[in-house]
């Protein structure tokens, strides 16, 4: 009963480095999402994937790319990290019109120095 | 924007007391959800209320929705120290994707 699994849990990057955040869900959900959470800002949607094979931009997509590798996995890539991308990143999944809401992973705390 | 705004930003109560937090939003919605986030953890879904519903209960949680006032409230009865967390409302309109508010930080003192 893993739910949504994110890796890594913590990461420190230097400005300009790249990295990929991994997310996998085992609930057979169609939709997956990447959010960032900053103090006082709530959660902001970066990208989402309504179904396997599709991805769309959210509120704050600049500086990020995503890949929906298959139904289970949705990765977030930072090509050239910037200090403004220091944040906590959450992956979530849902049935498209689920009455049960989203299931969130435990987050990745990323610091860019 | 559909974004809900929670009020108050912070709430501090004693164990056993009731905690009430509110969410206001600007445009019509299809549903509104409440989530809890414990420190350093992901969000956990608590309850979803649809726009044609006025009240829902789940254990010690009671959620109301007043679409005429564009507001919702979350009541936690008989609070426990373990209820200490941040609580977020999330609204969904034409798109099924919810927009989250900034949260209410609840501290329950033992």
């Amino acid at each position: 009963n893993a739910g949504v699994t994110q890796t890594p849990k913590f990461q420190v990057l230097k400005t300009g480095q790249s990295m990929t955040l991994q997310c996998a869900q085992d609930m057979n959900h169609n939709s997956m999402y990447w959010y960032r959470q900053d103090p006082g800002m709530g959660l902001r949607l970066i990208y989402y994937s309504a179904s396997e094979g599709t991805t769309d931009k959210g509120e704050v997509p600049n500086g990020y790319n995503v890949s929906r590798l298959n139904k289970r996995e949705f990765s977030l890539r930072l090509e050239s990290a910037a200090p403004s991308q220091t944040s906590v990143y959450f992956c979530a999944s849902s049935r498209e019109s689920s009455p049960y809401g989203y299931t969130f992973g435990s987050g990745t705390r990323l610091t860019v120095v | 924007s559909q974004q809900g705004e929670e009020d108050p930003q912070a709430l501090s109560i004693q164990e056993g007391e009731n905690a009430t937090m509110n969410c206001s939003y600007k445009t019509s919605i299809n549903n509104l959800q409440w989530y809890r986030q414990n420190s350093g953890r992901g969000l956990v879904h608590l309850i979803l209320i649809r726009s044609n519903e006025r009240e829902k209960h789940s254990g010690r949680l009671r959620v109301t929705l007043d679409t005429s006032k564009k507001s919702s409230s979350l009541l936690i009865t008989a609070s426990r120290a373990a209820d200490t967390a941040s609580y977020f409302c999330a609204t969904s309109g034409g798109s099924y994707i919810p927009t989250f508010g900034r949260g209410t930080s609840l501290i329950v003192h033992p």
Side-chain angles (χ1 to χ4, degrees):
Chain A
N1 240 17
V4 177
T5 302
Q6 288 183 237
T7 56
K9 293 192 184 304
F10 301 93
Q11 184 71 49
V12 178
L13 289 179
K14 293 182 179 178
T15 297
Q17 286 185 320
S18 63
M19 78 161 294
T20 300
L21 281 64
Q22 307 287 353
C23 175
Q25 52 94 7
D26 62 1
M27 296 168 290
N28 202 35
H29 283 169
N30 288 321
S31 302
M32 298 184 74
Y33 315 84
W34 277 104
Y35 286 88
R36 60 178 287 173
Q37 185 178 34
D38 302 294
M41 296 294 292
L43 274 78
R44 293 183 291 170
L45 183 65
I46 304 171
Y47 271 93
Y48 66 99
S49 171
S51 60
E52 186 179 356
T54 69
T55 60
D56 285 286
K57 296 178 181 179
E59 181 184 355
V60 289
N62 290 345
Y64 305 95
N65 284 301
V66 291
S67 295
R68 183 74 183 266
L69 304 170
N70 47 56
K71 191 170 187 178
R72 290 186 63 248
E73 298 172 288
F74 188 39
S75 63
L76 178 71
R77 182 161 178 83
L78 287 71
E79 291 291 352
S80 179
S84 61
Q85 294 178 305
T86 293
S87 188
V88 181
Y89 292 85
F90 288 99
C91 177
S93 70
S94 71
R95 299 176 205 168
E96 182 173 332
S97 54
S98 167
Y100 303 108
Y102 284 18
T103 301
F104 279 83
S106 57
T108 295
R109 187 173 295 273
L110 175 67
T111 302
V112 183
V113 297
Chain B
S1 168
Q2 304 265 14
Q3 183 180 38
E5 289 292 339
E6 294 89 345
D7 174 66
Q9 288 187 332
L11 183 59
S12 180
I13 61 174
Q14 294 296 126
E15 207 166 30
E17 294 180 338
N18 294 341
T20 299
M21 52 206 88
N22 304 295
C23 173
S24 59
Y25 56 92
K26 291 184 169 58
T27 59
S28 297
I29 61 171
N30 289 329
N31 63 67
L32 185 147
Q33 302 176 62
W34 284 93
Y35 287 81
R36 182 187 74 233
Q37 184 181 34
N38 291 91
S39 180
R41 309 293 293 274
L43 280 71
V44 174
H45 181 253
L46 296 176
I47 200 162
L48 179 149
I49 187 165
R50 293 187 170 84
S51 59
N52 61 353
E53 297 175 311
R54 292 296 167 259
E55 187 171 313
K56 286 189 83 169
H57 297 256
S58 177
R60 293 184 295 113
L61 305 180
R62 172 178 167 248
V63 169
T64 61
L65 179 64
D66 186 334
T67 53
S68 67
K69 295 181 179 178
K70 293 186 170 59
S71 68
S72 174
S73 67
L74 171 66
L75 168 67
I76 305 173
T77 60
S79 296
R80 305 166 181 168
D83 294 326
T84 293
S86 291
Y87 292 82
F88 295 86
C89 70
T91 54
S92 301
S95 162
Y96 66 93
I97 298 174
T99 303
F100 289 81
R102 301 181 183 190
T104 291
S105 175
L106 172 66
I107 297 175
V108 182
H109 300 278

